[in-house]
Amino acid sequence: MPHIENSPEHATSQTSAQPSAGLLDTRYQVETPEGIDLTLRPAGLVPRALAYSIDLIIRGVVMGLMYLLLGMLGKLGMGLGTILLFLVTWWYMVLFEVLNQGRSPGKQWMGLRVVHDDGTPVGWPASLTRNLLRFVDILPMGYTFGILSCLNSPTFKRLGDIAAGTLVVYREEKPQPPILPEAEAIRAPFALSLKEQRAILGFAERANGLSKERRIELAGIIAQQLQVPAEQAEHRLNGIAHSLVGPR
């Protein structure tokens, strides 16, 4: 597995990463020093182009409104407009990427974000590099170099991403906590193995989809171990499930 050289700002967190092989949809596998595998989904050319188009429209609207207002100030307004054009052109993306978890408004709309190659949040040096080199990706016209670079990269990197060591990936949604039947959290009367904990949680999570008779039947299997009558075992299991999940 190839090794990634990290930028100075996160050099202490060394990881190895590579695109997953043998999958129809691209995955980018990152292994942390703790041995935890992270899977990132690089965004392709089309969603990235749509995100950039949204940002371009937003910047155009902002600049249009500001020029209308600044036009009332005559030459002073023209000078301020030039400064504003520079700031919006070069700092719009950087500020949003660094201060908004790698997401410009367009990327946020499309469910994308920018990260370092090792999956860590993008920082100032990397964001500045990838956005300053955008003028190279634009050459010779219509983002030709950038498009060719994306199409030839297994992780859809444009030249700015290659230089900065960044990826544009899909933002993973946080999993919703399971909905458990109402019950007061109680501790199990005996030590539970990991397999038993999973079984109890699985029972509680599926309870709403099971008939009452089936729930009683399943819970009754371990009623004796729970030290309760069979008809009370279901409620006891739900209470143990709540204690395993913890307060929410």
Side-chain angles (χ1 to χ4, degrees):
M1 186 175 289
H3 185 71
I4 287 182
E5 292 185 3
N6 299 298
S7 62
E9 63 181 348
H10 57 290
T12 58
S13 174
Q14 293 185 341
T15 62
S16 55
Q18 68 176 15
S20 297
L23 294 177
L24 292 177
D25 53 339
T26 304
R27 293 290 189 274
Y28 191 76
Q29 198 77 22
V30 178
E31 184 180 347
T32 67
E34 295 78 14
I36 300 174
D37 289 333
L38 301 178
T39 301
L40 305 175
R41 289 197 301 145
L45 182 60
V46 173
R48 291 184 62 170
L50 291 174
Y52 183 75
S53 298
I54 293 171
D55 286 319
L56 200 60
I57 292 172
I58 293 174
R59 283 182 286 181
V61 171
V62 170
M63 289 302 304
L65 293 175
M66 293 304 298
Y67 268 117
L68 286 176
L69 295 175
L70 293 174
M72 302 176 183
L73 301 179
K75 292 184 178 180
L76 175 61
M78 292 294 292
L80 293 175
T82 302
I83 297 174
L84 180 64
L85 177 62
F86 170 81
L87 293 176
V88 172
T89 300
W90 294 107
W91 286 95
Y92 171 93
M93 289 290 193
V94 175
L95 291 175
F96 274 113
E97 287 176 0
V98 176
L99 302 179
N100 193 36
Q101 301 177 358
R103 301 170 297 176
S104 65
K107 289 184 179 69
Q108 189 162 353
W109 184 274
M110 296 300 299
L112 309 177
R113 65 189 180 103
V114 182
V115 296
H116 288 119
D117 282 337
D118 59 5
T120 56
V122 68
W124 291 102
S127 184
L128 280 168
T129 300
R130 72 184 303 273
N131 283 290
L132 287 175
L133 288 180
R134 195 179 294 275
F135 77 92
V136 179
D137 287 301
I138 294 175
L139 298 174
M141 64 177 65
Y143 265 91
T144 301
F145 284 172
I147 292 173
L148 292 176
S149 177
C150 283
L151 294 178
N152 282 279
S153 169
T155 50
F156 309 108
K157 287 190 173 193
R158 61 178 177 83
L159 299 178
D161 289 315
I162 295 173
T166 55
L167 282 170
V168 178
V169 299
Y170 286 99
R171 187 176 71 252
E172 298 296 336
E173 299 294 337
K174 293 183 179 179
Q176 296 297 321
I179 300 176
L180 305 180
E182 291 293 332
E184 183 179 353
I186 55 176
R187 297 185 63 180
F190 53 88
L192 296 172
S193 66
L194 181 59
K195 185 177 180 180
E196 290 169 336
Q197 293 178 33
R198 288 174 175 170
I200 292 174
L201 286 173
F203 170 81
E205 291 171 10
R206 295 172 52 205
N208 293 330
L210 300 174
S211 65
K212 181 178 180 180
E213 293 76 13
R214 182 58 173 163
R215 295 198 305 269
I216 294 175
E217 177 187 355
L218 292 174
I221 296 175
I222 60 170
Q224 184 176 356
Q225 290 91 327
L226 294 175
Q227 303 173 3
V228 295
E231 58 272 13
Q232 298 179 15
E234 178 188 353
H235 184 74
R236 180 63 61 90
L237 281 176
N238 290 332
I240 295 173
H242 276 278
S243 70
L244 293 174
V245 172
R248 289 181 291 175

